[in-house]
Amino acid sequence: MLPEKQFQCNICQQVFTDPITTPCGHNFCQTCIENVWDSSDVCQCPTCNKTFISRPETSINTAFKELADTLRNIIVCKSAAPLCAAKPGEVLCDVCAATSMQVKALKSCLVCLTSYCETHLEPHQRVATLKIHKLIDPVNNLQERMCKKHERLLEMFCRDEQKCVCQFCTETEHKGHQAVKIEDESAERKVKIKNTEADFHQMIQEHMRKVEEIKNCLKLSNTSAEKELKESDRLFTSLIRSVHEKHTEVNTEISEKQKAAERRAEELVGDLKQEVSELQRRNTELEELRDSEDHLHVLQRSPSLMCSPPTKEWMEIGIHPELCVGTVRGAMSKLDNTLSKELNSLKKQEMKKMHRYAVDVVLDPETAHPNIVLSADGKQAGRGELLHIVPDNPKRFDPVICVVSKRGYLSGRFYFEVAVGPKTFWDLGVVKESINRKGMITSKPENGYWTVRLRNGEEYRALDSPSVLLSLKRKPQTVGVFTDYEEGTVSFFNVEAGSHIYTFTGCMFSERVFPFFSPGVFDDGKNTAPLVIKVVNHET
């Protein structure tokens, strides 16, 4: 074996790592000699001080490298402290890894682009030229810290292009850009990270509070639903009880009348049978008198036998089955009145329930068509004769004369009432936030519209798919609109009559929905009255 000194680099005083040979015949570690030449304006041999006109091309002396690696392993095995075996996922010492040893790295050198265990890190703690190298906690992929174009360390940060660059980049394609050391940019970025962490922490807290609010709302909703179910059961139980009681009453009345009729019939039959017997007896005596030769007896007896027998009330009394029908009809009339009262009570209860979900609707002027005249409080939408000059924006309806509320709803139930009065044209309902607001639109559920309209003062139509012509007994003066987001329903009511107009079912709500209004066309001055959003009393 050759002496150890022959395999030592004259710069780092350690066994060669990737040795190269200069044109003057001396050997050095590739990294050591390149660092010396990078830090100097001239290229000299550190051993003989020979100056080279141009920087020599370097290549690893493979034969010499094998000998140096073998000697280094021998030295490590003989004199090094016990090595710390690397655990899965930990960074390995690159020097030990070359000998198939899995040793944990203690530091990574950004100059050598090598990770070292405690033993192989020792020269960086002792040799002056190596002490100036930048050491960091061990990391993998050190090659990624090199500029691929100039093969230099990425030690600058270009703020103009937001990327890490090498010093040579700042003097070429990034010249004139705002560039700072990566340490300085990292320090500023850490401050921002700290602030962002605080923001995220606050957002997390807010989200958790929102989750709790939603859970509490769900609990309240479940409680409310249970109360409503109980109330509904109570009302319908009362209704069924009334029907059952009336049914029992009718049956009892019919049975009693039938029994009375049977008793009367039995009495009449008995009387009739007695009269038949009397008539038969007289008929027999009359036959005997007809054949008798006792003329005196014939004259005396025949008057009493030939006179009409006394008549009973049965000649003027009949059995009328229609009396039972009349009883049923009368009972049914009473039952109808009872049912009507019960149903009216039920309607009032249902309307009262909807009032609990009444919301404060305010119209959004940024969505109103230029022909719409809005009141200052956003509660009325009228049809103007002239166009108003308003800024154009993506939310505004044009050319269709519509407007929506400022607030939309992403869950739950909500109810509002609109006075339509004597208007001859109007549209009401709810719409998705993402509906098309420019150009001509078709109101139907597939396009995000759930609306009911009036045309020509008499044609009511639900714009479902297909649309449904509505036959209303009473012309509504106030229309109530109730939406259940989770249930997927939108219902319309005649408030004064307490009657149902129409319900859209199976509504696919996947985004925020808004109350929707259209005061309609001018209609030769007959449709100038505004749509008026009414205040709903939650307690009524």
Side-chain angles (χ1 to χ4, degrees):
M1 178 67 68
L2 294 173
E4 179 182 331
K5 191 173 182 179
Q6 293 185 12
F7 291 90
Q8 286 183 345
C9 172
N10 197 27
I11 298 175
C12 66
Q13 303 299 315
Q14 295 296 313
V15 176
F16 292 116
T17 299
D18 296 334
I20 65 164
T21 304
T22 63
C24 57
H26 295 105
N27 296 305
F28 304 96
C29 296
Q30 184 182 38
T31 301
C32 293
I33 190 61
E34 288 183 350
N35 288 337
V36 170
W37 288 344
D38 287 343
S39 61
S40 176
D41 294 333
V42 295
C43 294
Q44 289 182 325
C45 174
T47 300
C48 65
N49 294 326
K50 180 177 176 61
T51 301
F52 305 106
I53 298 175
S54 60
R55 181 166 176 162
E57 293 185 5
T58 60
S59 59
I60 298 175
N61 188 329
T62 55
F64 207 41
K65 179 181 185 303
E66 292 178 1
L67 292 173
D69 290 345
T70 301
L71 179 60
R72 185 186 304 104
N73 292 334
I74 294 173
I75 295 172
V76 169
C77 293
K78 288 182 177 180
S79 60
L83 300 176
C84 181
K87 298 177 181 178
E90 292 182 331
V91 179
L92 302 179
C93 172
D94 293 327
V95 180
C96 293
T99 62
S100 301
M101 298 179 65
Q102 305 291 306
V103 181
K104 177 184 177 181
L106 185 64
K107 292 288 183 180
S108 293
C109 178
L110 295 179
V111 179
C112 303
L113 295 180
T114 305
S115 296
Y116 298 105
C117 63
E118 182 179 0
T119 299
H120 293 112
L121 184 65
E122 188 272 335
H124 281 73
Q125 299 169 336
R126 176 175 52 82
V127 180
T129 54
L130 298 179
K131 283 184 178 181
I132 63 174
H133 287 191
K134 180 66 175 178
L135 297 176
I136 62 172
D137 290 335
V139 294
N140 287 313
N141 304 322
L142 284 168
Q143 290 298 327
E144 294 181 1
R145 297 174 179 268
M146 291 288 290
C147 174
K148 291 180 172 58
K149 185 173 183 179
H150 302 113
E151 296 185 354
R152 293 196 177 192
L153 185 66
L154 297 173
E155 53 186 348
M156 305 295 290
F157 183 80
C158 176
R159 287 179 172 171
D160 290 22
E161 299 189 17
Q162 292 292 300
K163 63 185 294 187
C164 294
V165 297
C166 69
Q167 186 67 44
F168 195 71
C169 288
T170 63
E171 300 170 1
T172 53
E173 61 262 37
H174 291 269
K175 187 176 182 179
H177 292 184
Q178 185 182 6
V180 296
K181 291 184 177 180
I182 58 173
E183 292 86 353
D184 296 337
E185 180 66 21
S186 176
E188 291 189 17
R189 192 69 61 85
K190 287 178 180 178
V191 173
K192 294 180 181 179
I193 290 173
K194 185 176 180 180
N195 294 334
T196 302
E197 287 177 344
D199 292 340
F200 281 5
H201 180 72
Q202 183 178 354
M203 291 174 64
I204 290 171
Q205 295 300 318
E206 291 175 354
H207 281 54
M208 294 302 294
R209 283 196 296 271
K210 196 65 179 177
V211 168
E212 289 302 316
E213 288 179 9
I214 293 173
K215 288 182 178 179
N216 290 334
C217 287
L218 183 59
K219 289 180 181 179
L220 293 175
S221 176
N222 289 336
T223 302
S224 176
E226 290 175 359
K227 290 181 179 179
E228 290 184 10
L229 286 172
K230 290 179 181 179
E231 180 66 12
S232 176
D233 289 343
R234 186 191 68 79
L235 289 172
F236 280 99
T237 300
S238 175
L239 191 61
I240 292 171
R241 186 186 302 115
S242 297
V243 173
H244 184 267
E245 290 175 354
K246 187 58 63 178
H247 177 253
T248 302
E249 181 182 332
V250 170
N251 286 351
T252 300
E253 186 175 351
I254 292 173
S255 297
E256 290 178 352
K257 287 192 175 185
Q258 176 63 22
K259 289 178 180 179
E262 290 176 355
R263 288 194 298 271
R264 182 60 175 159
E266 289 177 357
E267 292 176 0
L268 292 176
V269 169
D271 291 341
L272 287 172
K273 286 183 176 180
Q274 288 180 2
E275 292 187 12
V276 167
S277 297
E278 177 63 19
L279 290 172
Q280 288 177 341
R281 183 187 65 79
R282 290 189 182 192
N283 188 55
T284 300
E285 288 189 25
L286 286 173
E287 289 178 353
E288 291 175 353
L289 287 177
R290 184 188 60 196
D291 298 330
S292 175
E293 294 180 356
D294 186 350
H295 302 293
L296 179 63
H297 178 67
V298 170
L299 293 175
Q300 291 177 338
R301 184 63 182 155
S302 61
S304 61
L305 292 176
M306 294 176 63
C307 69
S308 299
T311 57
K312 299 283 186 178
E313 294 180 356
W314 66 269
M315 295 295 293
E316 299 176 359
I317 294 177
I319 304 301
H320 303 286
E322 63 270 14
L323 291 177
C324 294
V325 177
T327 299
V328 175
R329 287 175 178 170
M332 289 303 295
S333 177
K334 293 179 182 179
L335 181 58
D336 286 342
N337 292 334
T338 301
L339 290 176
S340 296
K341 292 179 181 179
E342 294 286 348
L343 289 174
N344 287 335
S345 174
L346 188 60
K347 288 178 182 177
K348 291 179 181 178
Q349 293 291 333
E350 291 300 317
M351 294 295 289
K352 187 175 181 180
K353 289 178 185 177
M354 288 190 293
H355 287 180
R356 301 175 192 170
Y357 304 100
V359 294
D360 182 20
V361 176
V362 179
L363 300 176
D364 186 358
E366 293 188 359
T367 67
H369 182 274
N371 263 128
I372 291 181
V373 179
L374 296 182
S375 61
D377 61 0
K379 295 292 185 178
Q380 298 185 24
R383 175 65 167 85
E385 194 170 1
L386 300 176
L387 286 171
H388 295 82
I389 299 176
V390 292
D392 189 21
N393 63 72
K395 294 168 59 178
R396 191 177 304 282
F397 288 91
D398 191 16
V400 181
I401 304 171
C402 308
V403 63
V404 297
S405 64
K406 288 185 177 180
R407 180 185 175 189
Y409 301 87
L410 195 56
S411 63
R413 302 168 179 173
F414 62 93
Y415 174 77
F416 60 94
E417 292 180 353
V418 184
V420 296
K423 291 183 66 62
T424 56
F425 283 75
W426 53 256
D427 292 70
L428 293 173
V430 298
V431 297
K432 284 185 178 180
E433 184 175 20
S434 63
I435 57 170
N436 177 34
R437 307 184 186 206
K438 304 298 182 183
M440 300 308 296
I441 59 178
T442 302
S443 296
K444 58 182 180 179
E446 296 94 302
N447 296 338
Y449 290 79
W450 293 271
T451 60
V452 167
R453 77 181 187 189
L454 168 66
R455 292 293 182 268
N456 300 317
E458 59 183 18
E459 181 187 301
Y460 294 91
R461 189 174 290 273
L463 301 183
D464 209 330
S465 295
S467 65
V468 179
L469 184 63
L470 304 173
S471 298
L472 305 184
K473 293 182 179 179
R474 292 177 58 182
K475 184 175 182 179
Q477 298 298 305
T478 302
V479 177
V481 183
F482 179 75
T483 303
D484 190 325
Y485 196 100
E486 283 72 24
E487 190 70 20
T489 60
V490 180
S491 300
F492 296 80
F493 300 88
N494 182 335
V495 174
E496 286 79 12
S499 59
H500 174 254
I501 295 176
Y502 189 78
T503 294
F504 291 87
T505 60
C507 307
M508 302 299 291
F509 298 134
S510 58
E511 58 186 85
R512 205 175 298 276
V513 293
F514 291 77
F516 170 85
F517 310 82
S518 174
V521 298
F522 197 60
D523 196 18
D524 297 327
K526 293 183 291 184
N527 196 44
T528 57
L531 294 171
V532 181
I533 300 169
K534 298 185 65 177
V535 176
V536 180
N537 188 344
H538 291 67
E539 300 301 324
T540 60

